[in-house]
Amino acid sequence: MTIKWEKYLRGVYSFMMLSVGAPIFVAANQLQNSYPLILTIGILCLIVCCIPKKWVRLLLSLPVMIGCLFTYFPSKIFSLLWVLQFFSSVTEEFFHLSQGKLHYLPEKTAFFLILLLIYLFITLTVDYDYWYAPFLALMGYFMMLTVFREKELLYEMIAVVAVLCVYLAARQFFSIRLLSGNARFQSFTTILLICLFTFSAILPLYLPKVHQSLEETSEPIREYLNDEGLYDTLHEYQLTGSARTGFSENDEQLGGPLYDNGEVVFTANQKVNGYWKIENKNHYTGSGWVEDPDAPIQPIQEFPVDITSYQTVMEEKENITLTLKNQAFLPYPYGNTTLTDFSLASGQTLYYLPESQRFIPVPNESTRLASLQTERLAFTREELKSSQLEADDLENQQTNLQLPKGLPQRIEDLAIELTKNEATLIRKVEAVEQYLKTSGNFRYSKTDTGHTPKERDYVDYFLFDSKIGYCDNFSTAMVVLLRTLGIPARWTKGFTDGIRTGTDEQGNEEYSILNSHAHSWPEVYFPGFGWLPFEPTPSFANPTISQPAAETTEIVHSAEEQPKESENIAETISSEKPEAISSDNTTLTPSYKIVLFSLGVCLSVLLFFLLLFRKSLRWTSYLIYLHFFASTNAVAYQKLLHHLETLVPRKPAESLQAYSQRIEQTFDLDQRFIRLTAQYEAEIYGQQADPVKFDKKTYLELTHIIRKTVYKKVMTKGSSFKK
């Protein structure tokens, strides 16, 4: 294949590759009709392929690009004034971006930049055979849209790979057909290409098994990245606002992965740590939990206020101080708890919802201090053996026995099967709890939990199909299973212990409760004891027992979900979304400092060696090109010449023959570079009808000599090659 026709093949490849990305770019920037952009790509490819002089190309390409811009950002009349106004607008947007006034890329600027990139990629592919440049750029762009904008671009990625494979196959076919030399390498690459095609065709057949294996193998790594906040950072980019809190107001549709958020929600000064309750919900819909919008609301007029009361508590009373900022809730521990004081500014009111046991300050716009006094809940399973449900208990707890119509029968069948050998209330509750927690049938994962399919019950799908979930799945499943047995149960939300961060002046321990500590669990009614918490989620301890705070989950919500204050108090209480407190006291532990210091040292050393051996590394990349990609003499010589000119610059108006003489004197190449230069000139100036046979061996030998010489020069304090 001649150089001219090889350029046309590269031009077709550039057009096909970039055209795949055009509709995605247009849709991502909320523009209409991708055909003008595809037509522009085609015209630019034609200009670059047909016109050798780069300045002429640029002069012809600019009107084409301006015409494309006018198509997408039209005015009444196309004129020079429109061109000036457009570029003035782009310049102003660039200025705002540099000043940090814009936190996104405006569509005009984005479109202008994409046209420049398209022209650059076409030039790199057609003139320099950098076929991988548009491929890598498109794949990177698609991955960014997939991660940050949650777009499904699987078929587009397949199309990009298909275009690349077709181009490489066509290129390989013409190389084998027209070049008799280098047969071993051509045969090897052809076999490799066929193997890749075969692998691509067979892979979908085994994809489900591979996906499952990858999930199980990579779970510790993904959980670690989640704990470190990587997914939360990505999720913040996906949302139009930033992630605010781990506590969700809207639980109507449960399911989907969770992203850990390490921001502080509130701090607690206390002697003993434990779970923090926010509220409970009673009505299960089959997809989530809802609350009664007409539930009674009570304003708190004076303090102290008794919150909860239990018979089995610790004897020692404990004083707790909470610091909350912009939170639409008041957390409290299990036990005989009294709210002794709550700081309210002028115009602020604290409300209480008896049905959900929820406190809501309105408005929630400032930092508040809350003082609690509690006798912690303490009970043993042995004490609960005597507790049995009576008819009056069931009559009074009908709200907490509610189940949706159409609940699959197999859920009740499973509950009966689990408890058929148990006689007491506590044993039945424990049987369900242990089945979910320790049977081994279920896997706990925040990142792998999928969304419930439409028309499927949330609990049924978890118990019998996915069997992967986090606290919401396990707690809701336990509540529903118990209700099918006629045992009153309700769904409870709050936070786990938190992280111990220090000690105050009174000797109390200080805990920081983060968004990632948001959690849910079931409460079960025991006559004579009241509502007691249980914990079916694997790796979590009972809410009345302290546990490691690292194994917690959270629910992320967007800042846009924060409604404005309503004049109607009931509407405000049911709609307000809490915000997280940003931590001003974040410190690095010594281990983190060591890791960061070591990482900095390693990066500095790596950067030093990259700078020191940058010239030698450049020749290493050329060796890789010769081994795996080079097929024609002209292109290989052009790349060799380009690399040599970075070491020994050509003089103005210096001929190739004169330059080759200087290269021979510099590197002592035994006249081989002079012969390659003569062959190249004969080929490009038409003095030789047939393409010159690509002498791979000679190119490799010359490159090794030059590379070794460069390395020696670097090691002798960077001596120059220039003469």
Side-chain angles (χ1 to χ4, degrees):
M1 182 167 55
T2 63
I3 296 176
K4 180 179 179 181
W5 284 105
E6 188 174 1
K7 278 194 171 185
Y8 284 128
L9 178 61
R10 296 174 192 168
V12 172
Y13 162 72
S14 300
F15 172 72
M16 297 297 295
M17 181 67 72
L18 295 172
S19 295
V20 174
I24 308 303
F25 173 78
V26 170
N29 286 275
Q30 299 179 342
L31 300 172
Q32 301 295 325
N33 194 356
S34 61
Y35 292 113
L37 181 57
I38 295 175
L39 179 62
T40 301
I41 294 172
I43 296 174
L44 292 178
C45 289
L46 196 61
I47 291 174
V48 173
C49 289
C50 297
I51 300 175
K53 293 187 177 181
K54 293 182 174 60
W55 66 271
V56 178
R57 291 179 187 171
L58 191 59
L59 288 178
L60 293 175
S61 299
L62 280 176
V64 175
M65 290 189 280
I66 291 174
C68 181
L69 291 171
F70 182 78
T71 303
Y72 285 99
F73 307 99
S75 179
K76 292 182 179 179
I77 301 175
F78 178 79
S79 63
L80 180 61
L81 179 61
W82 176 88
V83 176
L84 295 176
Q85 289 177 343
F86 180 86
F87 284 101
S88 175
S89 175
V90 170
T91 304
E92 184 179 359
E93 289 173 353
F94 268 119
F95 176 75
H96 288 319
L97 283 169
S98 65
Q99 297 294 315
K101 296 180 180 179
L102 291 177
H103 302 285
Y104 65 97
L105 193 61
E107 57 184 19
K108 287 184 179 180
T109 302
F111 207 96
F112 175 68
L113 290 177
I114 205 68
L115 286 178
L116 294 180
L117 284 174
I118 287 171
Y119 182 80
L120 175 64
F121 286 136
I122 294 172
T123 302
L124 289 174
T125 304
V126 173
D127 288 347
Y128 303 101
D129 197 23
Y130 289 162
W131 51 266
Y132 47 83
F135 170 75
L136 293 177
L138 274 179
M139 293 300 286
Y141 180 61
F142 288 168
M143 290 176 67
M144 288 175 62
L145 290 178
T146 301
V147 172
F148 298 119
R149 301 283 290 275
E150 293 186 317
K151 290 186 176 294
E152 294 290 340
L153 299 175
L154 175 62
Y155 293 109
E156 286 77 5
M157 291 184 181
I158 293 174
V160 167
V161 175
V163 170
L164 176 66
C165 290
V166 170
Y167 167 70
L168 293 178
R171 170 179 165 149
Q172 192 70 10
F173 171 77
F174 286 114
S175 297
I176 293 174
R177 184 179 177 184
L178 298 178
L179 297 176
S180 58
N182 206 17
R184 179 184 296 179
F185 173 71
Q186 292 166 356
S187 301
F188 170 75
T189 52
T190 302
I191 294 172
L192 180 62
L193 197 60
I194 293 173
C195 291
L196 288 174
F197 274 124
T198 306
F199 177 75
S200 301
I202 295 176
L203 180 62
L205 300 177
Y206 298 93
L207 199 56
K209 295 181 180 179
V210 173
H211 184 267
Q212 182 179 1
S213 176
L214 286 175
E215 272 191 351
E216 295 175 354
T217 305
S218 64
E219 182 184 4
I221 299 174
R222 290 181 287 106
E223 290 292 349
Y224 170 76
L225 295 176
N226 189 25
D227 293 339
E228 293 298 313
L230 173 64
Y231 296 145
D232 177 59
T233 302
L234 298 180
H235 197 61
E236 288 185 15
Y237 283 102
Q238 292 171 348
L239 301 173
T240 52
S242 60
R244 289 289 186 181
T245 181
F247 181 80
S248 167
E249 294 284 354
N250 187 347
D251 302 300
E252 295 180 11
Q253 186 67 54
L254 299 178
L258 294 183
Y259 308 93
D260 276 347
N261 184 334
E263 292 182 343
V264 178
V265 181
F266 63 94
T267 60
N269 292 63
Q270 57 190 350
K271 291 184 178 180
V272 181
N273 65 333
Y275 276 25
W276 298 93
K277 180 176 177 178
I278 303 295
E279 67 173 341
N280 50 256
K281 292 187 176 182
N282 304 322
H283 191 84
Y284 175 65
T285 63
S287 58
W289 295 90
V290 297
E291 52 192 349
D292 183 3
D294 299 322
I297 303 169
Q298 301 174 358
I300 304 299
Q301 304 291 345
E302 57 184 19
F303 301 98
V305 177
D306 291 332
I307 300 177
T308 54
S309 178
Y310 289 92
Q311 294 181 2
T312 55
V313 294
M314 296 181 181
E315 295 182 358
E316 182 181 359
K317 288 187 177 181
E318 179 185 354
N319 293 317
I320 302 173
T321 301
L322 302 179
T323 303
L324 307 100
K325 180 181 179 182
N326 299 340
Q327 301 301 333
F329 55 77
L330 171 65
Y332 52 90
Y334 278 96
N336 291 342
T337 303
T338 301
L339 177 62
T340 57
D341 191 23
F342 190 82
S343 59
L344 291 171
S346 176
Q348 294 179 331
T349 307
L350 181 65
Y351 292 89
Y352 179 64
L353 284 72
E355 183 176 305
S356 61
Q357 297 186 314
R358 166 85 178 268
F359 287 90
I360 302 180
V362 178
N364 56 326
E365 298 175 349
S366 61
T367 300
R368 296 185 180 89
L369 295 177
S371 298
L372 302 171
Q373 188 177 78
T374 186
E375 296 171 312
R376 299 271 183 177
L377 174 64
F379 67 92
T380 64
R381 302 295 173 95
E382 191 69 25
E383 294 173 327
L384 300 179
K385 286 184 177 180
S386 60
S387 179
Q388 294 294 334
L389 290 167
E390 304 293 341
D392 291 343
D393 298 319
L394 297 178
E395 183 67 25
N396 295 330
Q397 296 294 337
Q398 285 300 308
T399 303
N400 298 299
L401 290 171
Q402 172 272 335
L403 289 170
K405 294 181 179 180
L407 184 75
Q409 179 62 36
R410 59 180 178 175
I411 297 178
E412 182 179 350
D413 295 340
L414 174 62
I416 294 173
E417 178 66 24
L418 293 174
T419 59
K420 63 182 180 181
N421 297 323
E422 310 299 343
T424 63
L425 175 60
I426 181 59
R427 291 294 297 163
K428 291 180 180 180
V429 173
E430 286 180 331
V432 174
E433 180 187 44
Q434 292 306 308
Y435 172 73
L436 294 169
K437 192 181 186 80
T438 63
S439 68
N441 294 333
F442 303 95
R443 181 161 67 90
Y444 174 82
S445 175
K446 292 174 277 189
T447 55
D448 291 342
T449 302
H451 295 278
T452 305
K454 292 182 179 180
E455 310 302 329
R456 289 293 305 276
D457 182 87
Y458 174 71
V459 171
D460 181 78
Y461 180 70
F462 167 65
L463 289 176
F464 300 101
D465 292 287
S466 73
K467 299 188 177 183
I468 301 174
Y470 42 85
C471 59
D472 289 349
N473 301 83
F474 289 92
S475 57
T476 301
M478 182 170 175
V479 171
V480 172
L481 285 168
L482 291 177
R483 287 185 177 186
T484 63
L485 298 172
I487 300 175
R490 63 191 186 188
W491 191 63
T492 307
K493 296 166 51 182
F495 293 85
T496 53
D497 311 47
I499 300 173
R500 184 177 179 275
T501 53
T503 305
D504 63 15
E505 297 177 353
Q506 287 74 34
N508 294 319
E509 294 181 343
E510 181 178 289
Y511 286 82
S512 293
I513 290 80
L514 313 181
N515 287 329
S516 57
H517 296 144
H519 192 49
S520 63
W521 60 91
E523 288 182 346
V524 184
Y525 181 73
F526 282 80
F529 294 88
W531 288 97
L532 301 180
F534 287 81
E535 184 56 272
T537 306
S539 77
F540 285 76
N542 188 277
T544 58
I545 304 171
S546 64
Q547 61 146 350
E551 300 171 335
T552 54
T553 64
E554 64 108 11
I555 302 172
V556 177
H557 281 270
S558 168
E560 285 194 354
E561 295 178 359
Q562 307 284 339
K564 296 181 180 179
E565 184 181 355
S566 172
E567 295 180 359
N568 184 289
I569 296 298
E571 181 181 347
T572 302
I573 291 174
S574 63
S575 64
E576 279 194 331
K577 304 292 186 289
E579 299 178 356
I581 302 173
S582 60
S583 175
D584 296 327
N585 301 319
T586 303
T587 58
L588 292 175
T589 62
S591 60
Y592 272 108
K593 291 181 179 179
I594 294 172
V595 170
L596 290 177
F597 176 78
S598 303
L599 184 61
V601 171
C602 293
L603 289 176
S604 300
V605 173
L606 178 62
L607 181 61
F608 170 78
F609 279 102
L610 286 176
L611 292 174
L612 181 63
F613 295 102
R614 63 187 184 280
K615 294 182 179 179
S616 180
L617 290 173
R618 184 182 296 119
W619 288 97
T620 302
S621 66
Y622 182 65
L623 277 175
I624 295 173
Y625 163 76
L626 289 176
H627 276 292
F628 298 104
F629 303 108
S631 59
T632 60
N633 180 74
V635 176
Y637 181 86
Q638 289 171 357
K639 291 183 180 294
L640 176 61
L641 183 65
H642 171 73
H643 285 296
L644 284 170
E645 287 177 344
T646 62
L647 297 176
V648 184
R650 286 177 66 181
K651 298 176 181 179
E654 184 178 22
S655 67
L656 280 179
Q657 285 295 331
Y659 181 69
S660 64
Q661 293 286 348
R662 286 205 298 128
I663 293 298
E664 289 286 349
Q665 295 173 7
T666 304
F667 295 102
D668 190 17
L669 301 177
D670 195 23
Q671 302 297 309
R672 283 176 289 187
F673 184 67
I674 294 177
R675 289 197 297 271
L676 289 179
T677 302
Q679 291 176 354
Y680 172 74
E681 288 185 325
E683 183 177 8
I684 63 171
Y685 295 128
Q687 299 175 8
Q688 188 165 332
D690 297 327
V692 176
K693 178 181 177 182
F694 175 53
D695 189 357
K696 179 179 179 180
K697 181 180 179 181
T698 300
Y699 277 96
L700 287 173
E701 290 175 351
L702 294 182
T703 305
H704 279 298
I705 294 173
I706 296 170
R707 183 168 170 267
K708 289 180 180 179
T709 307
V710 170
Y711 179 77
K712 290 179 181 179
K713 291 287 185 180
V714 169
M715 297 309 293
T716 55
K717 299 183 180 179
S719 301
S720 175
F721 289 98
K722 299 178 183 180
K723 291 187 178 181

